[in-house]
Amino acid sequence: MTAEAGPEPARLRWWAAVPLAAAGGLLLDVASPELAWWAAAFPGTALVLAAVWQQRAGVAALAGLAAGCGFWLPHISWLTLYLGPVPWLGLSAVMVLWYALFGIAAALATRGLARLPLLAARPALRLAAQAVTAAGLWVVREQLQGAWPYGGFPWGRLAHTQADGPLLEAVSWLGFAGLSGAIAFACALPIAALFAGGAAELARLVRRGEARPAARRIGAPLAAAVALLLLLGALPASQLPEHGSLRVAAVQGNSKSGIFDDRDSGDVLEDHLAATAELLDALEAGDERVDLIVWPENSAEFGLPDNPLGATRIARLAERAGAPIVLGSVLRDPDGSYTNSTLVWGPEGETEARYDKIYPVPFAEYMPNRDFFHMLAPDLVDLVQLDYRPGTRPSVIDVETADGPLRAGIAICFDIIFDAQAVDLVDRDAELILAQTNNADFGRTDENAQQLAIARLRAVETGRALVNISTVGTSAVVAPDGADLAAIAPYAAGAMTAEVPRVSGATPALAWGAAIAAGWMLLGAIGLACGVAGRPRATRRSVSEARVPAER
């Protein structure tokens, strides 16, 4: 099935490809919160794809590295705030490596597909095959980075750029991976058309400065890409059955709850007790009530069940409110292990409901390969004094409210970024999602806004209202269509209340999301395999025939 050598596929020269890839990566970061210029995601993706399209492996790897650095170095610069450059550079290096591997795979696939005799005689089919393959490989990269190493880091996905954009509601139909694949495919179509001719033909266009032939070539694929994006933008959020509603309050203590904050034991708990008392004062003054009160991750500090005074004060607030309080506390189990946990406190004190964080953060909540990394950065490793174990309890808990039991789905901090957690919440019939977090370690950086963007997408994907409550911000109650029902100003103590629906069932994204993701990855793998098969047997043509003039 190996193809004979034919006209050399068109590609960019290295000195054009590498800076364009870096610019593309930077645009993808610009499209993400805090700036959230969502439209920048489309030219950003297109530039990254153009840089690796039909490229030689070495140049493609360099372009992938440039794109990864352009995106990841600014995107997660919040890691440097207190911990310095080492964790930032370490995590960035792993994420950039995935970009480099994507560049090589996309280059090999698109170049090989351009040479396949079956596709060479069918330009439209070749264009579609290359675009689908590139999109599929983009999804493969995102899925792999979200799984390895140490459980992965599914942050910075292409779908995340649309949390404030017109494609937000489409995630309820396609899921995160499906939306990333659709955007990448739309951006790949005009790129495939632009490079459809051989290197010699592209050289003539570049040499003569002939823009019209190139514009005519990409006109129809560009129109198809725009039509696809408009269709996705027109999709309303999938509607699920609602069975009543409840009024939820969430409390942000604006606590000094970061790892390096100067505070005394009990200060964080005191901040949330005070903010809750102020909330109840306001509710009573307006003759209002709530069904549920939510506190953030770590809001009750360490070992709340072993703190009789703190436990009693919380119970009195729950009695005064006539509503349970869902809160966060670090717990030590009888076997000596620690968990980052969610508990429910009622008028009588602790209830049986408990959830332990399933996805503790490596290098923050536990230290993998501690001895090895201690040799490299002992001071940083010693900061991670407790190794939290992954939770094994169900992610959905039963909370007794005045209106009857509520099936509350829990996601603590980075739990919310994992697709498997969303699937588990819906499979266990969560009616509402409580996303508790402690962002204090990241100060006034983009991390808070990036996490809220992911939570917003997750609310739409699952079709459920979501309470994103932080110790310091950014906190908001998000409706199933992604709209804010209430919010608290960042870095200020306060509370928010909202009427939220109780929802059942699964959106198409949850029912078919895994299959959609698998489909994109399968298409990418098939395209890559065909691209390998499309590599020519014969010796390449001369440099003068094969290269764009810029390479001469």
mmCIF file of all heavy atoms in Angstrom, residues 242 245-248 432 452 456 459 464-468 475-488 495-503:
data_model
loop_
_atom_site.group_PDB
_atom_site.id
_atom_site.type_symbol
_atom_site.label_atom_id
_atom_site.label_comp_id
_atom_site.label_asym_id
_atom_site.label_seq_id
_atom_site.Cartn_x
_atom_site.Cartn_y
_atom_site.Cartn_z
ATOM 1 N N GLU A 242 -36.771 18.578 34.711
ATOM 2 C CA GLU A 242 -36.625 19.225 36.005
ATOM 3 C C GLU A 242 -37.762 18.778 36.919
ATOM 4 O O GLU A 242 -38.897 18.641 36.478
ATOM 5 C CB GLU A 242 -36.648 20.751 35.862
ATOM 6 C CG GLU A 242 -35.493 21.298 35.034
ATOM 7 C CD GLU A 242 -35.531 22.819 34.928
ATOM 8 O OE1 GLU A 242 -36.395 23.442 35.600
ATOM 9 O OE2 GLU A 242 -34.725 23.396 34.176
ATOM 10 N N SER A 245 -37.296 22.689 42.442
ATOM 11 C CA SER A 245 -36.115 23.527 42.591
ATOM 12 C C SER A 245 -35.827 23.693 44.074
ATOM 13 O O SER A 245 -36.625 23.291 44.932
ATOM 14 C CB SER A 245 -36.339 24.895 41.930
ATOM 15 O OG SER A 245 -37.395 25.591 42.580
ATOM 16 N N LEU A 246 -34.693 24.275 44.381
ATOM 17 C CA LEU A 246 -34.369 24.600 45.759
ATOM 18 C C LEU A 246 -33.519 25.859 45.774
ATOM 19 O O LEU A 246 -32.881 26.213 44.777
ATOM 20 C CB LEU A 246 -33.665 23.451 46.471
ATOM 21 C CG LEU A 246 -32.213 23.137 46.129
ATOM 22 C CD1 LEU A 246 -31.588 22.316 47.251
ATOM 23 C CD2 LEU A 246 -32.110 22.354 44.824
ATOM 24 N N ARG A 247 -33.523 26.512 46.896
ATOM 25 C CA ARG A 247 -32.763 27.747 47.026
ATOM 26 C C ARG A 247 -31.462 27.424 47.746
ATOM 27 O O ARG A 247 -31.462 26.901 48.871
ATOM 28 C CB ARG A 247 -33.548 28.809 47.790
ATOM 29 C CG ARG A 247 -32.944 30.186 47.636
ATOM 30 C CD ARG A 247 -33.884 31.273 48.095
ATOM 31 N NE ARG A 247 -33.352 32.594 47.760
ATOM 32 C CZ ARG A 247 -33.420 33.646 48.546
ATOM 33 N NH1 ARG A 247 -34.030 33.553 49.707
ATOM 34 N NH2 ARG A 247 -32.924 34.801 48.166
ATOM 35 N N VAL A 248 -30.369 27.759 47.070
ATOM 36 C CA VAL A 248 -29.037 27.433 47.574
ATOM 37 C C VAL A 248 -28.309 28.715 47.941
ATOM 38 O O VAL A 248 -28.412 29.728 47.239
ATOM 39 C CB VAL A 248 -28.227 26.670 46.503
ATOM 40 C CG1 VAL A 248 -26.810 26.410 46.987
ATOM 41 C CG2 VAL A 248 -28.915 25.354 46.163
ATOM 42 N N LEU A 432 -27.778 18.176 41.285
ATOM 43 C CA LEU A 432 -27.113 19.465 41.393
ATOM 44 C C LEU A 432 -25.639 19.177 41.647
ATOM 45 O O LEU A 432 -25.300 18.189 42.293
ATOM 46 C CB LEU A 432 -27.705 20.252 42.571
ATOM 47 C CG LEU A 432 -26.997 21.515 43.057
ATOM 48 C CD1 LEU A 432 -27.128 22.627 42.028
ATOM 49 C CD2 LEU A 432 -27.576 21.964 44.406
ATOM 50 N N LEU A 452 -13.164 28.403 36.844
ATOM 51 C CA LEU A 452 -14.591 28.698 36.726
ATOM 52 C C LEU A 452 -15.080 28.446 35.307
ATOM 53 O O LEU A 452 -16.203 27.970 35.111
ATOM 54 C CB LEU A 452 -14.869 30.146 37.136
ATOM 55 C CG LEU A 452 -16.328 30.601 36.995
ATOM 56 C CD1 LEU A 452 -17.264 29.750 37.846
ATOM 57 C CD2 LEU A 452 -16.478 32.077 37.368
ATOM 58 N N ARG A 456 -18.091 26.081 34.336
ATOM 59 C CA ARG A 456 -19.243 26.543 33.551
ATOM 60 C C ARG A 456 -19.543 25.569 32.407
ATOM 61 O O ARG A 456 -20.691 25.202 32.163
ATOM 62 C CB ARG A 456 -18.954 27.942 32.998
ATOM 63 C CG ARG A 456 -20.152 28.590 32.305
ATOM 64 C CD ARG A 456 -19.796 29.945 31.728
ATOM 65 N NE ARG A 456 -19.116 30.811 32.688
ATOM 66 C CZ ARG A 456 -19.739 31.463 33.661
ATOM 67 N NH1 ARG A 456 -21.053 31.342 33.802
ATOM 68 N NH2 ARG A 456 -19.056 32.225 34.497
ATOM 69 N N ALA A 459 -21.157 22.459 33.797
ATOM 70 C CA ALA A 459 -22.580 22.609 34.093
ATOM 71 C C ALA A 459 -23.409 22.391 32.839
ATOM 72 O O ALA A 459 -24.425 21.682 32.852
ATOM 73 C CB ALA A 459 -22.848 23.997 34.673
ATOM 74 N N ARG A 464 -26.801 20.423 34.378
ATOM 75 C CA ARG A 464 -27.160 20.652 35.781
ATOM 76 C C ARG A 464 -26.655 22.002 36.269
ATOM 77 O O ARG A 464 -25.597 22.475 35.818
ATOM 78 C CB ARG A 464 -26.572 19.540 36.655
ATOM 79 C CG ARG A 464 -27.373 18.252 36.573
ATOM 80 C CD ARG A 464 -26.525 17.039 36.856
ATOM 81 N NE ARG A 464 -27.373 15.854 36.942
ATOM 82 C CZ ARG A 464 -27.854 15.203 35.880
ATOM 83 N NH1 ARG A 464 -27.584 15.629 34.655
ATOM 84 N NH2 ARG A 464 -28.616 14.131 36.036
ATOM 85 N N ALA A 465 -27.395 22.591 37.196
ATOM 86 C CA ALA A 465 -26.894 23.784 37.864
ATOM 87 C C ALA A 465 -25.659 23.399 38.670
ATOM 88 O O ALA A 465 -25.530 22.274 39.158
ATOM 89 C CB ALA A 465 -27.966 24.381 38.770
ATOM 90 N N LEU A 466 -24.754 24.351 38.805
ATOM 91 C CA LEU A 466 -23.480 24.078 39.473
ATOM 92 C C LEU A 466 -23.139 25.255 40.385
ATOM 93 O O LEU A 466 -23.218 26.416 39.966
ATOM 94 C CB LEU A 466 -22.380 23.857 38.432
ATOM 95 C CG LEU A 466 -20.982 23.537 38.930
ATOM 96 C CD1 LEU A 466 -20.272 22.584 37.954
ATOM 97 C CD2 LEU A 466 -20.144 24.803 39.113
ATOM 98 N N VAL A 467 -22.777 24.932 41.622
ATOM 99 C CA VAL A 467 -22.352 25.949 42.584
ATOM 100 C C VAL A 467 -20.834 25.879 42.679
ATOM 101 O O VAL A 467 -20.283 24.927 43.228
ATOM 102 C CB VAL A 467 -22.988 25.729 43.964
ATOM 103 C CG1 VAL A 467 -22.515 26.805 44.943
ATOM 104 C CG2 VAL A 467 -24.504 25.707 43.869
ATOM 105 N N ASN A 468 -20.152 26.872 42.106
ATOM 106 C CA ASN A 468 -18.691 26.940 42.187
ATOM 107 C C ASN A 468 -18.338 27.911 43.316
ATOM 108 O O ASN A 468 -18.482 29.125 43.178
ATOM 109 C CB ASN A 468 -18.103 27.438 40.870
ATOM 110 C CG ASN A 468 -16.607 27.236 40.801
ATOM 111 O OD1 ASN A 468 -16.121 26.158 40.485
ATOM 112 N ND2 ASN A 468 -15.842 28.286 41.110
ATOM 113 N N SER A 475 -16.276 32.813 42.582
ATOM 114 C CA SER A 475 -17.431 32.014 42.981
ATOM 115 C C SER A 475 -18.663 32.442 42.195
ATOM 116 O O SER A 475 -18.909 33.633 42.012
ATOM 117 C CB SER A 475 -17.694 32.177 44.482
ATOM 118 O OG SER A 475 -16.598 31.716 45.245
ATOM 119 N N ALA A 476 -19.440 31.455 41.744
ATOM 120 C CA ALA A 476 -20.664 31.746 40.995
ATOM 121 C C ALA A 476 -21.577 30.531 41.030
ATOM 122 O O ALA A 476 -21.113 29.384 41.156
ATOM 123 C CB ALA A 476 -20.355 32.116 39.547
ATOM 124 N N VAL A 477 -22.878 30.791 40.934
ATOM 125 C CA VAL A 477 -23.868 29.734 40.717
ATOM 126 C C VAL A 477 -24.211 29.770 39.232
ATOM 127 O O VAL A 477 -24.637 30.802 38.717
ATOM 128 C CB VAL A 477 -25.132 29.947 41.568
ATOM 129 C CG1 VAL A 477 -26.131 28.820 41.305
ATOM 130 C CG2 VAL A 477 -24.780 30.008 43.048
ATOM 131 N N VAL A 478 -24.006 28.641 38.563
ATOM 132 C CA VAL A 478 -24.149 28.572 37.108
ATOM 133 C C VAL A 478 -25.376 27.739 36.764
ATOM 134 O O VAL A 478 -25.568 26.639 37.291
ATOM 135 C CB VAL A 478 -22.890 27.950 36.469
ATOM 136 C CG1 VAL A 478 -23.009 27.945 34.951
ATOM 137 C CG2 VAL A 478 -21.631 28.715 36.897
ATOM 138 N N ALA A 479 -26.189 28.262 35.867
ATOM 139 C CA ALA A 479 -27.397 27.560 35.419
ATOM 140 C C ALA A 479 -27.022 26.463 34.424
ATOM 141 O O ALA A 479 -25.913 26.454 33.875
ATOM 142 C CB ALA A 479 -28.360 28.548 34.771
ATOM 143 N N PRO A 480 -27.942 25.527 34.132
ATOM 144 C CA PRO A 480 -27.646 24.462 33.174
ATOM 145 C C PRO A 480 -27.316 24.954 31.767
ATOM 146 O O PRO A 480 -26.710 24.212 30.984
ATOM 147 C CB PRO A 480 -28.939 23.627 33.174
ATOM 148 C CG PRO A 480 -29.529 23.850 34.516
ATOM 149 C CD PRO A 480 -29.224 25.274 34.845
ATOM 150 N N ASP A 481 -27.692 26.191 31.429
ATOM 151 C CA ASP A 481 -27.325 26.727 30.116
ATOM 152 C C ASP A 481 -26.065 27.578 30.166
ATOM 153 O O ASP A 481 -25.687 28.210 29.172
ATOM 154 C CB ASP A 481 -28.471 27.545 29.525
ATOM 155 C CG ASP A 481 -28.800 28.794 30.347
ATOM 156 O OD1 ASP A 481 -28.175 29.005 31.402
ATOM 157 O OD2 ASP A 481 -29.690 29.555 29.915
ATOM 158 N N GLY A 482 -25.379 27.624 31.318
ATOM 159 C CA GLY A 482 -24.128 28.343 31.447
ATOM 160 C C GLY A 482 -24.246 29.760 31.960
ATOM 161 O O GLY A 482 -23.225 30.407 32.224
ATOM 162 N N ALA A 483 -25.467 30.280 32.132
ATOM 163 C CA ALA A 483 -25.641 31.652 32.618
ATOM 164 C C ALA A 483 -25.374 31.715 34.115
ATOM 165 O O ALA A 483 -25.628 30.758 34.856
ATOM 166 C CB ALA A 483 -27.053 32.146 32.319
ATOM 167 N N ASP A 484 -24.878 32.856 34.571
ATOM 168 C CA ASP A 484 -24.670 33.069 36.002
ATOM 169 C C ASP A 484 -26.004 33.414 36.669
ATOM 170 O O ASP A 484 -26.681 34.353 36.266
ATOM 171 C CB ASP A 484 -23.689 34.217 36.235
ATOM 172 C CG ASP A 484 -22.240 33.793 36.082
ATOM 173 O OD1 ASP A 484 -21.999 32.574 35.955
ATOM 174 O OD2 ASP A 484 -21.356 34.670 36.075
ATOM 175 N N LEU A 485 -26.343 32.650 37.702
ATOM 176 C CA LEU A 485 -27.532 32.958 38.499
ATOM 177 C C LEU A 485 -27.188 33.845 39.678
ATOM 178 O O LEU A 485 -28.050 34.573 40.182
ATOM 179 C CB LEU A 485 -28.164 31.652 38.994
ATOM 180 C CG LEU A 485 -28.671 30.688 37.907
ATOM 181 C CD1 LEU A 485 -29.162 29.399 38.543
ATOM 182 C CD2 LEU A 485 -29.759 31.331 37.080
ATOM 183 N N ALA A 486 -25.955 33.773 40.122
ATOM 184 C CA ALA A 486 -25.481 34.613 41.233
ATOM 185 C C ALA A 486 -23.970 34.546 41.247
ATOM 186 O O ALA A 486 -23.362 33.625 40.690
ATOM 187 C CB ALA A 486 -26.051 34.138 42.566
ATOM 188 N N ALA A 487 -23.338 35.532 41.872
ATOM 189 C CA ALA A 487 -21.880 35.548 41.949
ATOM 190 C C ALA A 487 -21.460 36.370 43.151
ATOM 191 O O ALA A 487 -22.231 37.182 43.687
ATOM 192 C CB ALA A 487 -21.274 36.125 40.670
ATOM 193 N N ILE A 488 -20.228 36.158 43.592
ATOM 194 C CA ILE A 488 -19.635 36.926 44.682
ATOM 195 C C ILE A 488 -18.397 37.621 44.129
ATOM 196 O O ILE A 488 -17.620 37.019 43.380
ATOM 197 C CB ILE A 488 -19.231 36.029 45.865
ATOM 198 C CG1 ILE A 488 -20.408 35.147 46.311
ATOM 199 C CG2 ILE A 488 -18.736 36.859 47.039
ATOM 200 C CD1 ILE A 488 -20.032 34.130 47.378
ATOM 201 N N ALA A 495 -21.677 36.225 50.470
ATOM 202 C CA ALA A 495 -22.487 35.038 50.175
ATOM 203 C C ALA A 495 -23.352 35.334 48.966
ATOM 204 O O ALA A 495 -23.586 36.488 48.605
ATOM 205 C CB ALA A 495 -23.354 34.664 51.370
ATOM 206 N N MET A 496 -23.820 34.281 48.325
ATOM 207 C CA MET A 496 -24.721 34.402 47.181
ATOM 208 C C MET A 496 -25.845 33.396 47.347
ATOM 209 O O MET A 496 -25.667 32.329 47.939
ATOM 210 C CB MET A 496 -23.983 34.163 45.865
ATOM 211 C CG MET A 496 -23.261 32.824 45.778
ATOM 212 S SD MET A 496 -22.277 32.649 44.266
ATOM 213 C CE MET A 496 -21.462 31.067 44.574
ATOM 214 N N THR A 497 -27.015 33.727 46.856
ATOM 215 C CA THR A 497 -28.159 32.825 46.891
ATOM 216 C C THR A 497 -28.771 32.753 45.505
ATOM 217 O O THR A 497 -28.725 33.723 44.738
ATOM 218 C CB THR A 497 -29.223 33.298 47.895
ATOM 219 O OG1 THR A 497 -29.688 34.594 47.502
ATOM 220 C CG2 THR A 497 -28.657 33.361 49.302
ATOM 221 N N ALA A 498 -29.347 31.616 45.188
ATOM 222 C CA ALA A 498 -29.988 31.442 43.883
ATOM 223 C C ALA A 498 -30.960 30.289 43.949
ATOM 224 O O ALA A 498 -30.762 29.321 44.700
ATOM 225 C CB ALA A 498 -28.950 31.185 42.794
ATOM 226 N N GLU A 499 -32.010 30.398 43.149
ATOM 227 C CA GLU A 499 -32.967 29.298 42.970
ATOM 228 C C GLU A 499 -32.462 28.437 41.826
ATOM 229 O O GLU A 499 -32.250 28.925 40.711
ATOM 230 C CB GLU A 499 -34.348 29.863 42.629
ATOM 231 C CG GLU A 499 -35.480 28.868 42.726
ATOM 232 C CD GLU A 499 -35.981 28.670 44.147
ATOM 233 O OE1 GLU A 499 -35.664 29.521 45.003
ATOM 234 O OE2 GLU A 499 -36.691 27.673 44.398
ATOM 235 N N VAL A 500 -32.232 27.163 42.098
ATOM 236 C CA VAL A 500 -31.661 26.278 41.081
ATOM 237 C C VAL A 500 -32.592 25.094 40.837
ATOM 238 O O VAL A 500 -33.267 24.610 41.758
ATOM 239 C CB VAL A 500 -30.260 25.768 41.492
ATOM 240 C CG1 VAL A 500 -29.296 26.930 41.652
ATOM 241 C CG2 VAL A 500 -30.327 24.956 42.776
ATOM 242 N N PRO A 501 -32.621 24.604 39.598
ATOM 243 C CA PRO A 501 -33.477 23.455 39.304
ATOM 244 C C PRO A 501 -32.849 22.149 39.784
ATOM 245 O O PRO A 501 -31.619 22.028 39.851
ATOM 246 C CB PRO A 501 -33.575 23.485 37.785
ATOM 247 C CG PRO A 501 -32.297 24.107 37.347
ATOM 248 C CD PRO A 501 -31.960 25.128 38.397
ATOM 249 N N ARG A 502 -33.696 21.192 40.104
ATOM 250 C CA ARG A 502 -33.258 19.824 40.386
ATOM 251 C C ARG A 502 -33.491 19.027 39.111
ATOM 252 O O ARG A 502 -34.600 18.973 38.590
ATOM 253 C CB ARG A 502 -34.032 19.256 41.572
ATOM 254 C CG ARG A 502 -33.880 20.100 42.829
ATOM 255 C CD ARG A 502 -34.757 19.627 43.960
ATOM 256 N NE ARG A 502 -34.353 18.315 44.475
ATOM 257 C CZ ARG A 502 -34.767 17.811 45.632
ATOM 258 N NH1 ARG A 502 -35.597 18.517 46.396
ATOM 259 N NH2 ARG A 502 -34.359 16.642 46.040
ATOM 260 N N VAL A 503 -32.443 18.418 38.598
ATOM 261 C CA VAL A 503 -32.448 17.857 37.248
ATOM 262 C C VAL A 503 -32.145 16.363 37.306
ATOM 263 O O VAL A 503 -31.404 15.892 38.179
ATOM 264 C CB VAL A 503 -31.406 18.582 36.369
ATOM 265 C CG1 VAL A 503 -31.302 17.945 34.996
ATOM 266 C CG2 VAL A 503 -31.766 20.059 36.242
#
